[in-house]
Amino acid sequence: MTTLELLQKTRAAMGSIAAAGAEKKNALLLAMADSLEAHCAEILAANAEDMAAARGRITDVMLDRLKLDENRIAGMANGIRDTVRLPDHTGRVLSEVVRPNGIVIDKVQVPLGLVAIIYESRPNVTSDAAALAIKARVLLYAASPLHNPDNDVEKWKKAAAAAYDIISNPDLNYSLDSDYGAYFQGNRSLSSPETIYVVRREQSNAMESNNYPIATPGGASGVTPTQNLVEAYEWVGDPVAGDPYANRDPRLAASVVTNGSTWNGHVIDQSPGGRHDMSAPNASKTGYYLKKFLTDNLDLTQGAKVQHNWVSYRYAEVLLNYAEAMNEAYGPDQAPGDYALTALDALQLVRDRASLQLPIVTAATRDEFREAVKHERRIELAFEDHRYWDLLRWKDAMEVLNKPVRGVKVTKTGEGKWSYTQTEVATRTFLERNYYMPFT
């Protein structure tokens, strides 16, 4: 059976599984565990063939990760049985709102959907990674203000414990990639120790054609970051007069194309009469273009294509989940019991990977640290489909999403020199009901 056929069959079964009750789902999970043990000999025989084919081609460490034995298969089966013992919250009504017209709106927990995992040389990790990564994120959301209005600290403790299960598990052994910008390019995420879940895609140029500046042949501008985001990147040195992008957190240059930077083989000039004149049709109205995930200088006119992958879960997010939950449960600088990291420790690991020149976070209270971790998630996870959902679960959307979208107007003042004036690009409206609506 090919991978495509396997995914098609799984997708076809998803609806009936999602609608199943807890008893049926638990029966399926127990059948999976039993099947692993019942077919142990066949699995070990197939694994022996994989081991023989891999010897001399991968390191001894990778060979050990690939190897299965009876104990590892038993551990996989028992891990599934442990999942069965967890409570099933599917269908639980979290809240209910009665509208003035009498319509009753219930907020109900539903299944996440279909998740596929790509892993390298660690067949026994599949069930562990699936359970732990999803559990850590779901419990963090469940503990957040939108879903935990009474701020039940026990929910935060459970979220912290779930994230720490990933951090402290020696069999998983995740760590941060050494290069934030390169991590999102090409095939790097497939073999990076930071990756937990990644969706591998065929080679294409869709990301580049959709998001290259309109002045680049084949580009369509697409996602154009805002001044609201750009100014949130911290300084790592003294500000440079006339260049608001110099000496910033390096994640800015890895994520956003700014005026004066080099992209696709030339310097971006968005001033009137410049190659990327902002008054041109479909040019960015904010003064910025997306860089994260994109390959530089891809020849779209000749149909060039590159590998793209979408990372759904990565270790940096786990560290930030842990930092947030630990702060709410125990405070920013406490690591009780078997915990080896404080909230501050976990947050600093993420920041140090970005740049050792970033200021040390010295938040002394829960409130101060809460703002620090919100900021870090905004920067570290930019454009990775977290920000909107974070604003919802924190109940910050009413404040943040009712502020105008801001950009910059670029004026050339000399060769290689520009001035920048902030402008209001668009207004936004977010209503209280939007925390739960519209339905999709």
Side-chain angles (χ1 to χ4, degrees), residues 259 269-272 274 410-419:
N259 191 74
D269 181 358
Q270 299 178 86
S271 63
V410 181
T411 303
K412 195 162 190 175
T413 59
E415 187 61 33
K417 297 180 180 180
W418 296 268
S419 65

Side-chain angles (χ1 to χ4, degrees), residues 305-345:
K305 297 179 180 180
V306 291
Q307 182 70 48
H308 292 97
N309 304 299
W310 181 256
V311 179
S312 299
Y313 291 84
R314 60 186 179 95
Y315 188 59
E317 183 208 339
V318 172
L319 288 171
L320 293 175
N321 292 349
Y322 175 79
E324 181 178 350
M326 282 293 285
N327 176 62
E328 300 297 342
Y330 306 107
D333 56 358
Q334 299 299 308
D338 295 331
Y339 289 111
L341 290 176
T342 67
L344 280 164
D345 292 335

Side-chain angles (χ1 to χ4, degrees), residues 32-304:
M32 287 171 58
D34 293 341
S35 182
L36 279 172
E37 293 176 334
H39 294 87
C40 179
E42 298 167 53
I43 294 171
L44 291 178
N47 181 247
E49 294 180 9
D50 291 339
M51 290 287 291
R55 284 191 179 91
R57 301 174 60 187
I58 60 177
T59 66
D60 289 343
V61 172
M62 296 296 283
L63 275 173
D64 182 66
R65 291 179 176 180
L66 178 61
K67 182 181 178 180
L68 288 176
D69 55 32
E70 291 183 358
N71 288 334
R72 287 186 174 181
I73 291 176
M76 294 164 64
N78 289 333
I80 295 174
R81 293 188 180 106
D82 288 341
T83 302
V84 170
R85 287 188 279 271
L86 296 173
D88 184 356
H89 296 295
T90 302
R92 185 162 67 98
V93 177
L94 300 176
S95 61
E96 184 175 276
V97 176
V98 180
R99 305 299 299 163
N101 60 4
I103 294 177
V104 179
I105 302 172
D106 286 341
K107 182 180 181 182
V108 181
Q109 288 185 325
V110 298
L112 179 66
L114 171 63
V115 177
I117 306 173
I118 294 175
Y119 55 88
E120 183 178 16
S121 298
R122 291 188 284 182
N124 61 310
V125 164
T126 304
S127 55
D128 290 342
L132 294 176
I134 295 173
K135 180 181 177 181
R137 187 186 293 180
V138 169
L139 289 178
L140 181 76
Y141 274 48
S144 300
L146 183 64
H147 311 296
N148 184 20
D150 296 329
N151 196 29
D152 182 351
V153 174
E154 290 303 313
K155 292 185 177 182
W156 288 111
K157 290 181 179 179
K158 290 179 180 179
Y164 194 64
D165 283 343
I166 300 173
I167 295 169
S168 61
N169 190 323
D171 291 330
L172 299 179
N173 197 30
Y174 292 114
S175 61
L176 295 173
D177 195 285
S178 61
D179 190 322
Y180 177 86
Y183 174 71
F184 300 98
Q185 304 295 316
N187 282 323
R188 186 171 180 126
S189 60
L190 297 181
S191 58
S192 171
E194 183 164 350
T195 302
I196 300 175
Y197 289 177
V198 60
V199 179
R200 184 171 185 169
R201 293 172 175 166
E202 295 181 351
Q203 288 196 350
S204 74
N205 57 25
M207 284 292 292
E208 287 74 21
S209 60
N210 288 336
N211 295 288
Y212 271 0
I214 195 70
T216 300
S221 291
V223 174
T224 54
T226 67
Q227 175 65 19
N228 311 58
L229 171 64
V230 169
E231 68 185 18
Y233 287 85
E234 296 170 74
W235 302 102
V236 294
D238 293 333
V240 176
D243 187 354
Y245 315 117
N247 288 340
R248 291 273 189 176
D249 182 332
R251 288 174 291 187
L252 172 62
S255 305
V256 179
V257 177
T258 58
N259 191 74
S261 64
T262 300
W263 184 235
N264 292 328
H266 59 269
V267 175
I268 301 296
D269 181 358
Q270 299 178 86
S271 63
R275 178 169 181 166
H276 295 275
D277 189 332
M278 294 178 67
S279 65
N282 297 319
S284 172
K285 304 304 179 187
T286 63
Y288 304 105
Y289 293 94
L290 180 67
K291 179 185 281 189
K292 196 172 184 178
F293 318 118
L294 275 60
T295 298
D296 190 15
N297 220 20
L298 192 66
D299 191 345
L300 299 178
T301 60
Q302 296 299 314

